[in-house]
Structures are given as C-alpha cells and as structure tokens.
Amino acid sequence: MRKISALLISAFLLTAVASCSLNSAAAKLLKAVDNTDKQAATLGVYATDTLPDGTSVTEVQFPSNPLFVDSAVFNTDGSLKQTSRKTPGDVLSLRSAFSFARASVNSDVDFASTTFKVESSEISENQGIYTLKLKLKDTTGSMGTVETKIDYVVKDDLVQSVAIQDNLYNKTNPEEVCLYYPTGCSIGITLSYDQETITKEMKQAIALYESTQLHDKLTVANFEEIMTQMTTSYNQLSSWTTTDSTQESGTIFDATSNQGVSWDQFGDPAVAFTAANSQESNNGPDRGFTATIFFDTTDGGSTFFYDKVSSSVSGNTTTYDVSNTDGSIVGSFIFTNGILSSIVDNTIGVKVQYQVNPKADLVLLKQKRS
C-alpha cells in the first residue's frame, strides 16, 4: 500500500514539475511576444519575411518617423511595394505568428486568408527556442485538421526569428493572397532592432515613394511639410472633435475619460474606441484622411494619380491642395500654427469639409456612444 502511494506521489510530482516547466515556457514566450510588440510600437523593427514560394520581402516599422508615414514593405528586388500609416506600430508578418502564441483553445486565428480554430496548444523551450505545437481545424477551407509547429527564437526577452511550417499555407488559395498581401503569408520572419537600419530603411521608403509617386520637387517639398505637420498634430492633439458641417460623420476623443467614437455618413453603427486605438483607421483627428490620400495601398501609392501638391499661406494658416491629373483638387489640408485645423475631402467629387477642434464635444460624444 505504501509502495503504491509512493508511486502515486512520484507521478504527481513529475506531472507538477512538467506542468510548471510548460507554464514557465509559455509565460516567457508571451513576455517576449509582448516586449516585441512594444518595441515595434515605440522604437521600431526591421523584418525579413520568407514566403511559401521561397521568395522574400522586407518590412520596416519606424513609429517616430517625422514624416508621418511609419511603415513600409519592400519587394524582393528592393523596390517599394507599400507605404502606410499604422499607429501604434505593427509589423504585419508578426500578427498571425503572435496570435497563435497568445491563442487559447477554441479561439480562432487567421493565417494567409485561412481561419483556424485552435484545438490544442502546447509550448516548450530548449536553449532559447520556444516551440509551439498546435492542432488546428480549418474553418474556412478544405484543409481539415492540421498538426503543425511554430518555432520562436528569443534573446534578451525579444523575439529574434519565427519559423512557421508551410503546412499552414493553403496551396489551393488563389495566387493573389500572397501577391498583394505577402506579409500575411510569411512562414519565416527574422527581426532586427538596430536603430540605424530602421532609420535608413524608412528614409529609403520615403525616397522611393516620392520618386515614383510625386516626382515634382515642389510637390515633394509640400508633401514633406504636410507629413511633418501631421506628425506634430497627432503628437499634440490629446483630445479632438472632427466633424463635417452637418455632423453626419466624424470622430471624437476625450483624453480625460479615455473615450472616443467614430462614425460615418453611410449609416453604419458608430464605433467606440479608447486611447489604445485612438490613432488607427478613421479614429484620428484627420479621420484617416492622410492615409487615404497618400498611403495604404499595395502599389506604393494611393488610388490617385497626382499632378501636384500646392500650398498657399494666409496669416498663420497654410493650405495644401492635392490635385489629380485632371486638375481637380481631391483633397486639402489646412494647418493653423502648424496644427491641423481642417480638411476638405473631394475624393468622390463631393466636397466635404471637416473642422478639427482640439477639444472633445462631450455632449456629442455621449450621444454617439449611446
């Protein structure tokens, strides 16, 4: 009887030790994942991504870039594929890799346009390499149940590289999935936190954008002035109310209560937000207008073919007009004392002017959030 009890106690202790070790590995990996996210959001990161076909692309994230745009993707040949504005910083290739690490059983994770339900997840560690073993069920395609693993190399509490087995990539997906969104298909990711590299690559992205999209020297100069003043505006506006004259669309954020809301003229439900995503998408003081006009497409530029970006000054106010090749003005940025005070959106041929107030309209905020 004592012998059986001793065996049971030994088995229990082994199980407890194994469980403790496993939990320790998971905690350490999650700490590294969180640290890497914070590093990308504050100091930046440079990533080299390997795609399922063996080719590679590179990404740079530089949140403190003085020219507003803070993210870029380069093609295999070094040409610019995409520039964008994403705040807080986010290296897109890490989104799925980190989501799998954080996922609980029965949660869903997207990878390369496939949504997987996590059926089991186990993390182990060996000399700085954290291995995540997963059992996943394809809920959107025909891959069925997939058993796979992801390796994370961690050093100094930061993720240095990620290796994802290519059996997570659905080969029946259309080619466009990785052609237009290559960073969402990365099966190998190597990260660099070297500040000189990050700064150099971001400068190169801006230079390539200007040479391929803007051309004219005066347009380039005005573009850079807009970007500089937009950076200043985002840094200094802690609260704001941006609406059109009818309040049919707009965005409001109140820093004191950490509450925000954005809405549009299409009748969609208003979207509440907090400081964590107050500068993303249409939530910012410019309602994402700068990104819409200049960035956030897969070809390195916006949907407009620029003729020029011109400027005019009246007292302490500067107006920048963005023209299409047909001579029409598709958008205007108005800065007062270097801070965004108004924008005019004429991208669909109907001029809508938005005023930017550096205070939150608390009555309208409450109304739209209710």
Side-chain angles (χ1 to χ4, degrees):
M1 186 71 173
R2 289 177 181 175
K3 189 174 183 179
I4 293 174
S5 298
L7 287 172
L8 287 173
I9 291 171
S10 297
F12 173 78
L13 288 174
L14 285 171
T15 302
V17 170
S19 175
C20 180
S21 174
L22 179 61
N23 290 337
S24 175
K28 289 179 180 178
L29 176 59
L30 290 177
K31 179 182 178 182
V33 165
D34 288 342
N35 287 345
T36 302
D37 269 345
K38 291 175 184 176
Q39 180 88 353
T42 53
L43 298 178
V45 69
Y46 179 67
T48 301
D49 305 327
T50 302
L51 307 183
D53 64 0
T55 61
S56 65
V57 296
T58 54
E59 302 175 83
V60 60
Q61 175 69 39
F62 186 32
S64 60
N65 182 28
L67 295 183
F68 196 68
V69 56
D70 61 9
S71 179
V73 178
F74 298 89
N75 292 309
T76 303
D77 62 4
S79 61
L80 183 66
K81 184 173 186 65
Q82 182 178 5
T83 52
S84 59
R85 167 69 180 179
K86 295 179 176 65
T87 305
D90 179 26
V91 180
L92 297 183
S93 61
L94 294 179
R95 192 169 283 178
S96 293
F98 285 2
S99 292
F100 279 120
R102 291 172 169 139
S104 57
V105 174
N106 292 324
S107 64
D108 292 333
V109 179
D110 294 325
F111 177 78
S113 294
T114 298
T115 300
F116 294 99
K117 181 176 288 294
V118 179
E119 294 191 338
S120 68
S121 175
E122 179 184 323
I123 300 174
S124 59
E125 186 265 340
N126 182 24
Q127 296 182 340
I129 300 176
Y130 292 78
T131 299
L132 172 61
K133 293 183 179 179
L134 295 162
K135 184 177 181 181
L136 307 168
K137 183 178 181 181
D138 178 2
T139 64
T140 57
S142 57
M143 296 174 67
T145 300
V146 179
E147 292 189 6
T148 191
K149 72 170 185 173
I150 302 175
D151 287 329
Y152 305 81
V153 175
V154 174
K155 182 180 179 182
D156 299 327
D157 286 333
L158 290 171
V159 177
Q160 306 296 319
S161 65
V162 182
I164 301 174
Q165 284 190 309
D166 64 1
N167 65 344
L168 280 186
Y169 174 65
N170 188 350
K171 296 176 177 60
T172 65
N173 275 343
E175 179 183 355
E176 285 80 4
V177 170
C178 291
L179 178 63
Y180 290 106
Y181 304 100
T183 54
C185 296
S186 304
I187 59 172
I189 309 162
T190 302
L191 301 173
S192 170
Y193 304 98
D194 180 70
Q195 292 296 297
E196 287 187 10
T197 300
I198 293 167
T199 302
K200 182 189 74 172
E201 293 299 326
M202 196 71 245
K203 286 182 177 179
Q204 175 69 358
I206 292 292
L208 288 171
Y209 174 81
E210 292 178 344
S211 65
T212 58
Q213 298 294 320
L214 304 178
H215 311 298
D216 177 72
K217 288 184 179 180
L218 182 59
T219 289
V220 168
N222 286 327
F223 162 78
E224 291 190 356
E225 284 296 324
I226 292 172
M227 296 303 106
T228 300
Q229 292 182 72
M230 281 305 305
T231 300
T232 302
S233 298
Y234 264 64
N235 288 341
Q236 292 193 17
L237 290 171
S238 57
S239 298
W240 60 83
T241 300
T242 302
T243 64
D244 62 3
S245 59
T246 62
Q247 297 185 342
E248 193 175 13
S249 58
T251 178
I252 303 172
F253 180 69
D254 175 40
T256 302
S257 64
N258 190 24
Q259 291 186 337
V261 65
S262 61
W263 70 99
D264 57 38
Q265 67 271 36
F266 305 113
D268 296 326
V271 178
F273 62 85
T274 62
N277 50 3
S278 62
Q279 298 183 0
E280 295 177 352
S281 186
N282 295 332
N283 296 341
D286 68 332
R287 300 192 69 251
F289 185 63
T290 311
T292 300
I293 285 285
F294 291 107
F295 312 122
D296 293 348
T297 68
T298 55
D299 59 1
S302 80
T303 54
F304 297 103
F305 297 93
Y306 302 112
D307 177 44
K308 60 182 178 180
V309 179
S310 57
S311 66
S312 59
V313 180
S314 177
N316 60 353
T317 298
T318 305
T319 300
Y320 297 90
D321 294 323
V322 182
S323 299
N324 208 340
T325 50
D326 63 4
S328 64
I329 296 175
V330 295
S332 299
F333 298 83
I334 299 93
F335 297 91
T336 303
N337 294 323
I339 303 296
L340 184 69
S341 58
S342 181
I343 55 177
V344 179
D345 184 351
N346 191 38
T347 54
I348 61 173
V350 179
K351 287 186 179 180
V352 179
Q353 183 160 357
Y354 293 86
Q355 296 297 327
V356 182
N357 189 324
K359 296 180 180 180
D361 184 331
L362 299 181
V363 174
L364 187 58
L365 174 63
K366 182 179 180 180
Q367 174 188 330
K368 290 297 181 180
R369 282 178 62 93
S370 62

